[in-house]
Amino acid sequence: MNLSQQEWASQLEADTNAVILDVRTDDEWNEGIIPGAILNDIYKGQGFIYKLEELDKSKNYYVYCKAGGRSAQACSIMKQMGFENAYNLEGGFMNWEGEVAQP
């Protein structure tokens, strides 16, 4: 499910069962992250899938990348794997206006 920056941030803030998932590369991750995010680089192929398999499917996942394309793809993969709630950040990190942390 695609959410606007504002929808994504406000829903995340109110969600006590939330996990923030960053699907960018290590280099992109090092440029700054949304606080509390965990990294799982979608470009790692099967490694990406293995890491997804370790996650709790009962959680709500807030997924982002740089521009929104890879995170939309990640949400689609997660749905196929049985994750009920995966939310894509439209516009990605480059349009993010919320808090940013250094990993």
Side-chain angles (χ1 to χ4, degrees), residues 57-74:
K57 289 190 171 100
S58 71
K59 300 278 189 193
N60 300 322
Y61 290 89
Y62 293 80
V63 188
Y64 72 95
C65 63
K66 187 168 186 174
R70 285 173 286 171
S71 50
Q73 187 182 356

Side-chain angles (χ1 to χ4, degrees), residues 30-99:
N30 289 326
E31 292 170 9
I33 65 166
I34 295 174
I38 57 172
L39 178 64
N40 186 5
D41 181 354
I42 195 168
Y43 287 150
K44 292 216 158 90
Q46 193 60 42
F48 173 73
I49 301 297
Y50 289 145
K51 270 188 147 176
L52 286 180
E53 288 172 345
E54 294 171 4
L55 298 175
D56 181 347
K57 289 190 171 100
S58 71
K59 300 278 189 193
N60 300 322
Y61 290 89
Y62 293 80
V63 188
Y64 72 95
C65 63
K66 187 168 186 174
R70 285 173 286 171
S71 50
Q73 187 182 356
C75 287
S76 175
I77 292 166
M78 291 171 79
K79 288 263 192 242
Q80 290 171 10
M81 292 176 65
F83 288 85
E84 286 184 32
N85 298 308
Y87 305 105
N88 178 42
L89 176 61
E90 287 182 337
F93 188 72
M94 67 183 193
N95 292 325
W96 177 247
E97 293 176 2
E99 196 179 337

